[in-house]
Amino acid sequence: MADTKRILEGLQIIVTDLAQQADGHAIQSKIFAAQGFSKLGAKYAGHAAEERGYVDKCIDRILDLGGEVKNGAKKEEPVFTDIVEYIKYDLQTSKDGLAWLKTLVEEARDDYSTFDMLKTYYQDEEEDLYWAEQQLELIEKIGLQNWLNHQL
């Protein structure tokens, strides 16, 4: 049987942390676009919008389960001008987040609505992780300048 209290706590963590992450992606999007890397700017702008969509879904699910949504305190996150350093940072964030999210997905296994939503979110985050890994591999194989040319 699903532990609703733990699920609600986990959903609230997602609401707080993912809202922060969406803001971070929006900021990075603007920075990279201002540097002339429009494709990368659009990628992270889309990513921010997608994350806000998951925040909305988690808020709705908290309310469906009778929980109270909080606007939790958010910690300051670094902002990057170096694209490669940011991709590495974002990759590590994805790895850490997926490890934590896996336990929440398992916790929600008997709450089918929450489980399906979290499973979809997990799969999306996993795709983001693979994208970051692929970009770092491409940079290594074709060189940073060639990779950056593809981001214009």
Side-chain angles (χ1 to χ4, degrees):
M1 177 133 222
D3 184 343
T4 304
K5 182 180 180 211
R6 287 179 53 181
I7 291 170
L8 285 168
E9 289 169 355
L11 291 171
Q12 181 59 56
I13 289 169
I14 292 172
V15 167
T16 301
D17 291 356
L18 194 56
Q20 174 77 11
Q21 196 169 352
D23 289 346
H25 282 127
I27 290 167
Q28 291 300 152
S29 166
K30 296 285 188 184
I31 290 170
F32 298 149
Q35 291 175 341
F37 303 110
S38 57
K39 288 181 185 175
L40 201 56
K43 165 75 177 164
Y44 281 111
H47 197 57
E50 191 174 70
E51 288 167 334
R52 286 193 177 97
Y54 283 115
V55 169
D56 287 345
K57 288 177 183 180
C58 288
I59 289 169
D60 289 342
R61 191 63 188 148
I62 289 170
L63 296 172
D64 290 345
L65 293 172
E68 181 182 338
V69 180
K70 298 175 181 96
N71 188 5
K74 298 168 182 93
K75 62 181 178 162
E76 185 174 333
E77 293 286 332
V79 175
F80 295 81
T81 55
D82 184 296
I83 294 170
V84 175
E85 289 307 308
Y86 182 69
I87 293 173
K88 288 177 182 177
Y89 174 82
D90 204 37
L91 174 62
Q92 189 59 52
T93 300
S94 291
K95 287 178 180 179
D96 296 343
L98 283 170
W100 174 84
L101 184 57
K102 183 177 181 179
T103 62
L104 183 60
V105 171
E106 286 297 319
E107 184 70 38
R109 186 166 289 284
D110 292 332
D111 174 352
Y112 299 125
S113 295
T114 305
F115 177 78
D116 286 344
M117 179 189 65
L118 291 174
K119 186 174 82 170
T120 301
Y121 171 49
Y122 184 95
Q123 290 167 335
D124 182 64
E125 286 299 308
E126 191 174 51
E127 287 175 21
D128 295 337
L129 178 138
Y130 294 146
W131 181 86
E133 287 177 335
Q134 182 185 44
Q135 299 316 299
L136 293 172
E137 289 172 9
L138 278 171
I139 290 167
E140 187 175 309
K141 288 179 182 175
I142 66 173
L144 179 59
Q145 292 306 312
N146 288 329
W147 183 84
L148 289 172
N149 284 337
H150 289 284
Q151 304 308 316
L152 297 173

